[in-house]
Amino acid sequence: MKKVVLSLFFLSFSFLFAQSKISVAIPPLQFIVEKIAKNHIFADSLFTENYFEDYPSKSHIRRLSYAPIYLSLNLKREKSYINDLNAISHIKIIDVTKGIKKFDNNPYLWMDPLNFRKITLNVYDEIIKLDSKNKKLYEANLNKFLKDIDGIFLSIKEQLFSLSSYNFYTFDDYWDYYAKRFRLNFYKRDKKTLTAKEISNTINFTRENGIKYFLIDPTDSKKVVDFFVKNSEAKPLVNNIFEKNWQANIFIFTQKIYDMYK
C-alpha cells in the first residue's frame, strides 16, 4: 500500500513539474517566457546563444522532452531535434510564428520588433493554456512587456529615420526583417575573397553609396571578414540575433548603427 501511495505521489509531482516547464527553440523565446511567467514557469532552450555551433546532446533533448510543450520558430536546425523529441515523448510542438508574414523563406523574424510582439502574444496564449490559474499575473506582465516592446520600436524608428545613410553590406539574411521594417538597404556579399577587379568595383560601389559598415555574425570567418575590411573601405558591425536578452540586443544594435550614421 505504501508503495502505491509513494508511486502516486511521485507521479503527481512529475506531472506538476512537467506543467511548470516549457521547452523552446532559442534563447530569445526563453526571454519571452521569463518576462511573462517570471519564476512560475521554467523555460529551457534547445539551442544556446551560439546557435550555429551548438549541437544539443541526447541528454539535453531528453530533458526538453519532459515539458508538455515545445515552442518552435521553424528554424532549419530545429527539424531533426523535433523529430527526436517526438520519438521519445508526447510533447506538443507549437509554432509561435503563426500570423506573421514571412518572405523569401527567411525564418529570422524576431529582429523586427513588430514580429517579436506577435511572437510574444503567441507565447502568452500558450502560457495561459498551460497555467490558467495565474492568468491575471501573466496578463499584467505581458502588458508591461508589450509597452517595453512598443517603446523600443518607436525609439528605433525615431533614430533610424534620421540617418545620413541607409546603406549597409551584409553576408547573411539575419537582419532582413529589421531592414525591411526600418527602410535600410542591405547589399549582400558572398563570404569569399575578391579578385582584383571585384575589389575595385566594391570600393567604387562603397564610395558611391556611402556605405561605411557591413553586418556580420560572431561565427563569420575572421579571415573573410578581415579581407573584406581591407578591400571594401567598410567596417564590421557584429551582432548575434540569438542573444537571449532580445531587448538589450536590439537596443545596442540600433544604437551602434545610429552612432555610425548620425
Side-chain angles (χ1 to χ4, degrees):
M1 183 64 181
K2 286 183 178 179
K3 288 183 178 180
V4 173
V5 172
L6 283 171
S7 296
L8 288 172
F9 171 79
F10 285 116
L11 281 172
S12 299
F13 180 81
S14 298
F15 177 77
L16 288 171
F17 178 77
Q19 292 301 304
S20 64
K21 179 178 179 179
I22 291 177
S23 293
V24 302
I26 57 172
L29 285 180
Q30 196 176 12
F31 182 70
I32 294 173
V33 174
E34 291 174 359
K35 278 288 186 178
I36 296 171
K38 303 297 182 183
N39 60 347
H40 288 270
I41 295 177
F42 174 72
D44 200 1
S45 179
L46 171 61
F47 295 103
T48 66
E49 292 180 345
N50 192 21
Y51 173 80
F52 289 106
E53 297 178 349
D54 188 24
Y55 294 88
S57 65
K58 289 183 179 180
S59 61
H60 184 57
I61 300 302
R62 172 66 65 181
R63 189 165 69 247
L64 293 175
S65 73
Y66 297 148
I69 62 173
Y70 170 89
L71 305 183
S72 170
L73 286 165
N74 294 317
L75 301 173
K76 288 181 180 179
R77 295 200 63 218
E78 281 186 84
K79 292 180 181 178
S80 64
Y81 295 106
I82 287 175
N83 290 338
D84 292 340
L85 284 170
N86 285 329
I88 62 174
S89 70
H90 297 291
I91 192 169
K92 186 177 181 182
I93 310 300
I94 308 293
D95 177 9
V96 292
T97 69
K98 58 187 177 183
I100 301 175
K101 186 177 180 180
K102 306 174 185 69
F103 60 88
D104 298 331
N105 294 316
N106 185 335
Y108 309 115
L109 300 159
W110 60 94
M111 285 302 282
D112 173 355
L114 298 190
N115 285 347
F116 186 79
R117 193 183 200 279
K118 291 177 183 177
I119 292 170
T120 297
L121 288 168
N122 289 338
V123 171
Y124 167 76
D125 288 343
E126 298 307 320
I127 287 175
I128 59 173
K129 287 177 187 176
L130 202 62
D131 183 17
S132 59
K133 68 180 183 295
N134 285 310
K135 181 179 178 180
K136 287 186 178 180
L137 173 65
Y138 298 152
E139 187 174 15
N141 292 338
L142 169 72
N143 290 334
K144 184 178 183 302
F145 190 36
L146 291 179
K147 285 182 180 179
D148 291 341
I149 296 171
D150 293 343
I152 287 172
F153 169 70
L154 293 174
S155 175
I156 294 174
K157 185 177 178 181
E158 182 179 356
Q159 285 183 299
L160 297 191
F161 281 19
S162 63
L163 298 180
S164 60
S165 175
Y166 299 91
N167 300 329
F168 296 82
Y169 287 125
T170 180
F171 289 145
D172 298 290
D173 57 357
Y174 309 141
W175 306 276
D176 283 4
Y177 289 96
Y178 180 94
K180 188 175 180 66
R181 178 64 63 192
F182 298 110
R183 303 177 188 176
L184 303 180
N185 301 317
F186 284 179
Y187 298 97
K188 299 288 175 64
R189 290 294 182 265
D190 294 329
K191 296 181 183 181
K192 65 174 187 176
T193 56
L194 306 175
T195 64
K197 184 177 180 181
E198 287 173 331
I199 290 171
S200 176
N201 290 340
T202 298
I203 290 174
N204 288 334
F205 188 87
T206 301
R207 292 172 179 174
E208 289 170 3
N209 292 278
I211 302 174
K212 297 179 182 178
Y213 293 89
F214 66 99
L215 305 181
I216 63 171
D217 179 81
T219 60
D220 284 330
S221 164
K222 187 177 184 302
K223 181 180 178 181
V224 173
V225 170
D226 288 346
F227 182 88
F228 199 79
V229 168
K230 292 176 182 177
N231 297 285
S232 69
E233 296 187 349
K235 298 177 182 178
L237 170 57
V238 183
N239 178 255
N240 178 11
I241 67 169
F242 296 95
E243 282 190 15
K244 180 179 177 180
N245 192 333
W246 175 90
Q247 203 166 347
N249 187 37
I250 198 168
F251 178 82
I252 293 170
F253 178 58
T254 301
Q255 192 62 48
K256 287 180 178 178
I257 291 176
Y258 177 73
D259 290 342
M260 292 168 179
Y261 284 103
K262 64 182 178 181

